[in-house]
Amino acid sequence: MLKVRVFKAIEYPEECLQYIAGHRKVLEAYGVTKVTSANVDWMYEPYTYIITVSNDDYTKTYGGCRIQLAGGSVPLPIESAINNMDSRIYDIVKDLATGGGTGEFCGLWNSREVAGWGIGSIVLFRVVNAVLNQLPVTTFLGFCAQTTFRNSIRTGYQIMTNIGNQGTFYYPKEDLIATALVLNDPLELKSAHPEDRERMMSLRNNPVQTIVEKGPKGEMQVDYDLRIMSAATSDLPLSR
């Protein structure tokens, strides 16, 4: 069984370090050594939340992603990534933040150890969108690689054609393309594919549930608890 949990980064430093180590390992496997979402300043920022996929006793992390809200001391990764290529990103984020709150889905990674067992990026996309009703946002951003673009669109994100080359940039290196995305309806999720919207709303309405996820290699039982955890009440091991 795997466990999917959501927690405030600043309250769980050891779990954050596990997530960081796994993310760096995956990036290095693709020859990527410089990426803004790999910066660790967010660990000390109360506007940061982490989603992890872990084993039963939380001793191993198999994947995860980060939710970074705008308004803290740490800029959104998309701002740091593309401001030298298109400085309009600052005004776009500022307008969205003052218009009701925004943030970014970033730092997505999955271990090869669970590849093919139904715990791919689509699961993390669904989980992020499912928990957005617990956060002060009316829009949400993403800056995705080609490998995750399809899942972004399936879960309701749309290309930000008002920036870059119709929303695309060469990032994090010249032979890779990343696309700037926005989720305009994080509460209703009406722009998502109906099947994905149904799954996301199920997770949102029933944040504690166990699902058998299916992949090409077989099935994996996944225990979801998508209530954003505090150190005082969580079943995560305390790391202080």
Side-chain angles (χ1 to χ4, degrees), residues 22-80:
H23 188 203
R24 283 181 172 164
K25 186 176 180 181
V26 170
L27 289 174
E28 288 168 1
Y30 284 95
V32 176
T33 56
K34 292 183 179 180
V35 60
T36 54
S37 62
N39 184 300
V40 298
D41 291 347
W42 52 260
M43 274 186 64
Y44 314 102
E45 168 61 68
Y47 284 65
T48 309
Y49 299 84
I50 297 292
I51 295 168
T52 57
V53 180
S54 305
N55 61 354
D56 245 353
D57 60 0
Y58 305 105
T59 56
K60 189 167 182 60
T61 301
Y62 294 105
C65 58
R66 182 169 118 236
I67 292 173
Q68 189 69 54
L69 299 183
S73 60
V74 175
L76 297 185
I78 192 171
E79 294 179 275
S80 301

Side-chain angles (χ1 to χ4, degrees), residues 2 38 114 123 157 193 222:
L2 297 178
V114 294
V123 168
Y157 290 80
H193 185 280
V222 183

Side-chain angles (χ1 to χ4, degrees), residues 65-230:
C65 58
R66 182 169 118 236
I67 292 173
Q68 189 69 54
L69 299 183
S73 60
V74 175
L76 297 185
I78 192 171
E79 294 179 275
S80 301
I82 69 176
N83 72 84
N84 288 332
M85 294 178 277
D86 194 331
S87 62
R88 289 178 294 177
I89 188 60
Y90 288 130
D91 287 336
I92 289 172
V93 170
K94 183 179 179 181
D95 289 345
L96 292 175
T98 56
T102 195
E104 183 179 350
F105 172 21
C106 52
L108 169 70
W109 66 274
N110 281 293
S111 168
R112 291 180 179 178
E113 294 172 78
V114 294
W117 293 96
I119 317 298
S121 66
I122 189 64
V123 168
L124 291 170
F125 272 95
R126 290 171 181 159
V127 168
V128 168
N129 286 4
V131 304
L132 291 181
N133 67 317
Q134 301 178 56
L135 299 170
V137 297
T138 55
T139 59
F140 206 63
L141 302 174
F143 190 46
C144 78
Q146 291 169 291
T147 52
T148 54
F149 177 77
R150 179 175 176 272
N151 287 338
S152 304
I153 300 302
R154 280 189 62 91
T155 52
Y157 290 80
Q158 298 172 331
I159 300 173
M160 296 172 63
T161 56
N162 59 334
I163 196 167
N165 181 14
Q166 291 293 298
T168 64
F169 296 84
Y170 288 109
Y171 182 86
K173 51 184 186 176
E174 290 185 0
D175 59 340
L176 295 175
I177 293 175
T179 305
L181 303 164
V182 61
L183 180 65
N184 286 309
D185 62 340
L187 297 183
E188 297 294 331
L189 300 175
K190 290 182 178 178
S191 51
H193 185 280
E195 179 184 340
D196 290 283
R197 184 179 187 273
E198 182 180 358
R199 293 287 299 274
M200 291 185 289
M201 296 307 284
S202 172
L203 289 168
R204 178 176 291 180
N205 295 329
N206 301 283
V208 181
Q209 59 175 294
T210 300
I211 300 174
V212 176
E213 300 288 1
K214 298 179 181 180
K217 289 185 179 179
E219 299 179 344
M220 181 70 72
Q221 186 171 309
V222 183
D223 179 54
Y224 291 91
D225 188 341
L226 305 189
R227 300 169 298 180
I228 295 177
M229 297 181 173
S230 77

